[in-house]
Amino acid sequence: MLNLLTMFTMRNRLQPWLAALSLTAGLLPAWSIAQTFPEKPVRLIVPWAPGGSTDTIGRTLAARLSQTIGQQVVVENKPGAGGMIGAEMGARAAPDGYTLTIVELPHATAQALMAKVPYDLNIDFAPVAYIGASPLVLFANHQLKANNLKDVVALSKEKAGISFATSGTGSISHLVGELLQKQAQAQFVFVPYKGSAPALLDLSAGEVQTFFATLASGAGALKTGRVKAIGVTSAKRVAALADVPTVGESGYQDLIVEQWWGVVAPAKTPAPVLEKLKAEFAAAIAHSSMKERMLALAIEPGNMSPDQFRTFMGDEARRWGKVAKDANIKLEQ
């Protein structure tokens, strides 16, 4: 009886130590993975075709990380369905840190415009890094008698409506135009195109009068002189377009909009691996070569933490969800 009592007492005393030992043993695999990660190339999914601003950002990041992370970071372009095909691939990838995805503003707007999206930015992904953001530029045909956003609004009320090119129904260029139309009580005629390139071609030719796009997209058209920049959707003026007024200067503070980019990993990626990725990406984004490349594209390098980035993505989905609802925009699956 005494032996049994002694054994029972000893077991009770040992239970906390055994539990701690068990927990430590459970953490060892994740810790071990983080110590050796990465042991093979890391792929970075870009959900768009080669040649665009997102592809340029992805390849610049991959080149820098390949020098520091100990393995090659390989860009894989997976375009289609407005960026959703690549994002879904990233969300469904093994949560081991070897598949990362660049997400951006259109991924948030998709959740606002469609009843079913094959991913949820705040559930299916773990944020790794906020890369940065670029304002939209209001481009106009050089013959349009408008030098700022206020002039465009006034012209839209004088005539039967100003024609606004969009890079597709439900694109950010369309949503910003709808937001402006509502705020200013203006009258616009929205003309959808299959992307920025054909929209800018018709803008240059005078087939349409205005178009919201990033500076990276419109810089070539701007250089021809057939297109002019008359507004930027940032809180302050852009150095590359120092003479172009902001939307706030024209009286539309609520029209501040930025095209943003970030890197995410699949949900349930081990915390130690995530922490290593976060540190590597933060260092890469802060590097002078990366900063120079982004500033050349009029992209302001990011200063959000991954947790702040998660909150920001949710806020963006809600913001554009309201705009889409107010404008009665709903896209087919």
Side-chain angles (χ1 to χ4, degrees):
M1 187 73 177
L2 183 61
N3 287 341
L4 287 173
L5 182 61
T6 302
M7 290 171 63
F8 179 76
T9 303
M10 289 177 66
R11 189 185 69 178
N12 283 350
R13 288 177 177 174
L14 286 171
Q15 273 182 341
W17 296 97
L18 291 170
L21 184 61
S22 176
L23 179 62
T24 302
L27 291 175
L28 281 175
W31 179 85
S32 177
I33 290 170
Q35 290 298 302
T36 57
F37 177 86
E39 295 182 296
K40 60 182 180 180
V42 176
R43 67 171 178 162
L44 179 62
I45 295 175
V46 173
W48 308 98
S53 54
T54 305
D55 183 61
T56 300
I57 292 168
R59 292 182 186 282
T60 305
L61 259 179
R64 177 60 195 165
L65 285 162
S66 295
Q67 298 176 26
T68 62
I69 205 169
Q71 291 285 345
Q72 286 294 307
V73 178
V74 181
V75 170
E76 289 190 14
N77 295 91
K78 299 294 181 182
M84 288 194 296
I85 289 177
E88 183 180 14
M89 289 184 67
R92 305 291 173 250
D96 54 11
Y98 287 99
T99 300
L100 307 173
T101 307
I102 292 186
V103 293
E104 53 188 291
L105 179 56
H107 292 107
T109 59
Q111 292 187 192
L113 292 162
M114 296 184 177
K116 292 182 180 179
V117 175
Y119 59 83
D120 187 300
L121 287 176
N122 286 88
I123 295 174
D124 296 320
F125 295 107
V128 172
Y130 174 72
I131 299 171
S134 176
L136 300 181
V137 178
L138 179 57
F139 293 103
N141 180 268
H142 69 105
Q143 292 184 334
L144 186 68
K145 295 180 179 179
N147 295 311
N148 54 53
L149 189 56
K150 193 177 292 184
D151 290 345
V152 170
V153 170
L155 283 172
S156 80
K157 295 177 179 179
E158 291 174 10
K159 301 179 181 181
I162 293 287
S163 56
F164 252 90
T166 76
S167 51
T169 301
S171 63
I172 190 59
S173 54
H174 182 199
L175 292 173
V176 174
E178 292 280 8
L179 184 59
L180 172 61
Q181 181 171 245
K182 181 183 178 183
Q183 289 183 357
Q185 296 298 299
Q187 298 178 47
F188 301 139
V189 177
F190 295 105
V191 184
Y193 288 85
K194 293 182 178 180
S196 296
L200 286 161
L201 281 174
D202 270 10
L203 184 68
S204 299
E207 297 295 325
V208 287
Q209 295 166 295
T210 53
F211 179 47
F212 276 112
T214 61
L215 179 58
S217 296
L222 193 61
K223 288 179 181 177
T224 67
R226 299 185 63 81
V227 167
K228 59 184 178 180
I230 60 174
V232 290
T233 64
S234 51
K236 60 182 181 180
R237 293 198 181 196
V238 175
L241 299 171
D243 295 332
V244 178
T246 67
V247 290
E249 290 175 69
S250 290
Y252 299 100
Q253 290 288 352
D254 290 340
L255 207 68
I256 293 174
V257 179
E258 291 186 313
Q259 163 69 45
W260 49 264
W261 296 266
V263 178
V264 294
K268 299 183 181 179
T269 298
V273 172
L274 272 178
E275 291 306 313
K276 187 166 186 177
L277 285 169
K278 289 174 184 179
E280 292 286 353
F281 271 87
I285 292 167
H287 193 264
S288 58
S289 62
M290 187 69 191
K291 283 185 174 181
E292 288 172 11
R293 188 66 181 128
M294 287 202 291
L295 290 174
L297 295 170
I299 298 170
E300 186 72 27
N303 58 3
M304 284 187 205
S305 70
D307 287 340
Q308 289 171 327
F309 182 39
R310 181 190 293 280
T311 300
F312 173 74
M313 288 191 291
D315 291 343
E316 285 286 88
R318 285 185 289 274
R319 178 189 185 186
W320 296 110
K322 184 178 186 309
V323 173
K325 183 178 180 181
D326 289 346
N328 196 28
I329 303 171
K330 206 71 180 176
L331 297 183
E332 298 294 329
Q333 296 300 107

